[in-house]
Each structure stands twice: as structure tokens, then as C-alpha cells.
Amino acid sequence: MSELGRQAPADVVIFDEALTNSPALTRYLPPRAPGRFFQTRGGSLGVGIPGAIGLQVLNPEKTVIGFTGDGGAMYTIQALWTAARHKLPVKFVVCNNASYKLLQLNIQQWWKEQGVAPHDFPLSFDLSRPALGFVDMARGMGVAGRR
């Protein structure tokens, strides 16, 4: 995020769905002006990629960067194809922690409120096996990628 903060143009438009990474994002790319920073509301996953596409359509002359987590990206990864098909210059960052981290944090809080002893998360909260190849997925839909 530090390097991206140094390189991003001053008028960059951000769509942030990578909520567990938002503190680092806003530290290095702080919201500075109305209409330049958009964030998903908690409780939904998958809007980061299509949200950034929408912002790019609305702001064709600006650099748009969409941030999502690996879990959220898996809901709407096919939207990369839309970006490629319409030749949209939007940039995407997938923050990959190999889990549905936001769901883990939410269920931990719920367990605490319900008096449930901490225990392992359900297998469905883990995205580590097999490892997700976002670079390959992006290339398969016509979007250049790198890790």
C-alpha cells in the first residue's frame, strides 16, 4: 500500500471492498475529496471488482483502483472479463489472505456474544487449499496480472 500510495495520481478514484485491509489502504491512500473514495458496506461480499468497473465508466479520464479481498473476488471474478471486453483501464488489487477474514471476524464476535468457546472455523471459511491463482484467472479473462 505504501508503494501504491506513492505512485497513485492525486485524483485517483478508489473502490474499497477489502475491508480487513482498509486501515493500510486509507493510511497510504487517504480519502481526500468527495467522489474519490467509495467503500462497500459490511455484510456483502463481491462488489469490489464490479464497483470499480462502474466507477471507471463514470470517470473515464481518471485512474480507478478497486480493492477486494480474495473471498470477495471469488464471488464476482468474472467481472474481470467485462473490464477486458470493454477495454476499461481500471486497476484491481486482490488482497489475498487465503480466507474469508471478514466472516471469521464476524463469527468470532458472534461466538463471544453467544458465550460460545472459541474453536476452529468451518472449512468453508478457508481459501488456502487449493491455492487460488488470481493471476491465472485474470489472464484467462483477458486482464494482465501479477503477484
Side-chain angles (χ1 to χ4, degrees), residues 11 13-15 35-36 38 49-64 86 88-90:
D11 66 346
V13 178
I14 301 291
F15 192 99
R36 300 286 164 82
F38 299 84
I49 296 172
I53 290 171
L55 286 175
Q56 186 69 74
V57 170
L58 290 171
N59 298 279
E61 74 291 349
K62 294 193 179 353
T63 298
V64 175
H86 296 285
L88 298 172
V90 60

Side-chain angles (χ1 to χ4, degrees), residues 16-53:
D16 175 21
E17 186 203 15
L19 298 178
T20 57
N21 287 284
S22 294
L25 170 59
T26 57
R27 177 178 176 196
Y28 295 105
L29 282 167
R32 297 191 191 274
R36 300 286 164 82
F37 184 86
F38 299 84
Q39 189 174 49
T40 185
R41 294 180 57 100
S44 65
L45 289 173
V47 299
I49 296 172
I53 290 171

Side-chain angles (χ1 to χ4, degrees), residues 117-134:
H119 58 281
D120 289 341
F121 296 110
L123 180 61
S124 58
F125 283 29
D126 175 73
L127 295 173
S128 66
R129 295 180 319 271
L132 297 171
F134 288 103

Side-chain angles (χ1 to χ4, degrees), residues 78-96:
Q78 69 276 12
L80 294 178
W81 180 85
T82 300
R85 180 173 183 88
H86 296 285
K87 298 182 169 95
L88 298 172
V90 60
K91 314 292 187 248
F92 304 101
V93 176
V94 178
C95 300
N96 188 349

Side-chain angles (χ1 to χ4, degrees), residues 1-10 27-30 32:
M1 294 297 181
S2 173
E3 184 63 29
L4 191 55
R6 281 193 290 278
Q7 292 186 30
R27 177 178 176 196
Y28 295 105
L29 282 167
R32 297 191 191 274

Side-chain angles (χ1 to χ4, degrees), residues 80-81 83-85 87-88 135-145:
L80 294 178
W81 180 85
R85 180 173 183 88
K87 298 182 169 95
L88 298 172
V135 170
D136 292 333
M137 285 187 250
R139 284 187 190 136
M141 288 182 245
V143 175

